[in-house]
Amino acid sequence: MKIALLGYGKMGQIIERFALERGHEIVLKISIDNREDLTTSNLRKADVAIDFSSPDAAISNIYACFEANLPVVVGTTGWYGQLQEVKNECLSRNNSLLYGSNFSIGVNLFFHINKITARLMNNFPAYEVQVEEIHHTQKLDSPSGTAMTLAEGIIDNLDRKSEWVNELVGTPFEDVVKKEQLLIESHRIENIPGTHTVVYSSEVDEIELKHTAHNRSGFALGAIVAAEWLERKQGFYNVTDMFDFK
């Protein structure tokens, strides 16, 4: 495939390495220094785009891909407040987009285990639950998209939780977490690629489900696999659509 990389920071560079190893070609690299090269004609040189930019740039990048009729894989998070609007635009124009909070195979297995555990916990109301996430200090959004996906997986399957709230540790947090709310506790620590933990606590014991990323390679390789999967498809997809857990 000919790939356009939208966002050429640390993740973009790792994605480039995996893409080349798998026999693909990078025909466009867009960073904060060359935004003027994000043109329809340049995008049309590619077969697919992969976006790991920033929450502020993601929406304009997506619409530029739609204009060029270019399938786009979006690994950037922090723009999901406009998700429905983007979906409507994608479908009305017969474009192709796949988004996800995390493209790691291990994390997607973790998402599945999380949903099953939440379903089981409907039978055991003595357990309180919360989500904890730790990321490097350069991460711009809070909570992480992965933490939100975990929280939504719990809310969809655990009757006693109806919404999540976020506390970024080290910043003022004056909310009282209500019984029906699920707390996502976010930490920002140097050189942590990403650690996510779901904790079920009772008076007598505690259960932890935990995923620890050792580096960013799993995210990058997953993004390339997602691009390969999307290349000849039309529609609006979540990364979970790539995995069949039935």
Side-chain angles (χ1 to χ4, degrees):
M1 297 184 303
K2 295 180 178 180
I3 298 173
L5 288 180
L6 310 182
Y8 194 62
K10 291 180 181 178
M11 271 298 295
Q13 292 170 38
I14 300 171
I15 289 169
E16 179 181 33
R17 175 166 59 85
F18 277 107
L20 296 176
E21 287 176 2
R22 292 171 75 88
H24 303 306
E25 180 185 358
I26 307 300
V27 295
L28 182 65
K29 303 174 192 176
I30 298 296
S31 71
I32 194 170
D33 298 320
N34 69 332
R35 291 286 299 172
E36 68 277 3
D37 292 336
L38 186 66
T39 63
T40 299
S41 60
N42 281 341
L43 287 170
R44 284 179 175 161
K45 297 173 185 176
D47 299 313
V48 64
I50 300 176
D51 181 281
F52 273 87
S53 56
S54 67
D56 292 337
I59 294 293
S60 60
N61 290 352
I62 289 168
Y63 283 121
C65 290
F66 288 172
E67 191 65 32
N69 199 30
L70 181 67
V72 56
V73 172
V74 186
T76 308
T77 59
W79 60 274
Y80 293 167
Q82 295 173 261
L83 190 65
Q84 190 60 50
E85 173 191 323
V86 171
K87 179 178 180 178
N88 293 344
E89 187 71 13
C90 178
L91 297 177
S92 68
R93 299 175 62 147
N94 294 317
N95 288 125
S96 303
L97 183 148
L98 184 150
Y99 76 97
S101 60
N102 198 310
F103 289 86
S104 159
I105 292 171
V107 165
N108 280 280
L109 292 170
F110 187 39
F111 287 158
H112 186 59
I113 294 165
N114 175 58
K115 291 177 183 178
I116 293 172
T117 305
R119 220 170 291 146
L120 291 171
M121 282 296 180
N122 277 312
N123 298 316
F124 304 101
Y127 286 88
E128 185 52 79
V129 59
Q130 78 173 50
V131 176
E132 299 171 0
E133 60 105 338
I134 308 172
H135 278 88
H136 49 87
T137 52
Q138 289 78 34
K139 184 163 182 60
L140 299 176
D141 53 323
S142 170
S144 69
T146 301
M148 284 192 283
T149 301
L150 288 167
E152 287 159 5
I154 293 167
I155 289 164
D156 289 345
N157 290 279
L158 187 65
D159 295 340
R160 56 185 179 269
K161 296 296 179 183
S162 60
E163 63 177 356
W164 58 263
V165 294
N166 179 234
E167 175 189 3
L168 179 59
V169 175
T171 62
F173 181 75
E174 298 180 359
D175 291 345
V176 175
V177 180
K178 299 173 184 175
K179 191 173 182 180
E180 68 275 11
Q181 291 178 322
L182 172 64
L183 177 65
I184 303 176
E185 191 175 272
S186 299
H187 301 258
R188 295 293 172 262
I189 300 172
E190 288 287 350
N191 301 319
I192 302 292
T195 300
H196 293 85
T197 310
V198 178
V199 182
Y200 285 92
S201 307
S202 74
E203 290 187 0
V204 297
D205 61 8
E206 187 168 280
I207 301 167
E208 287 191 3
L209 307 175
K210 185 174 185 178
H211 179 275
T212 302
H214 298 310
N215 52 56
R216 303 186 186 193
S217 297
F219 313 146
L221 179 58
I224 296 294
V225 172
E228 293 167 348
W229 185 88
L230 183 66
E231 183 191 7
R232 291 182 176 85
K233 291 181 174 64
Q234 272 192 339
F236 190 83
Y237 302 97
N238 187 285
V239 65
T240 56
D241 295 322
M242 294 170 50
F243 298 89
D244 184 7
F245 292 124
K246 295 178 182 177

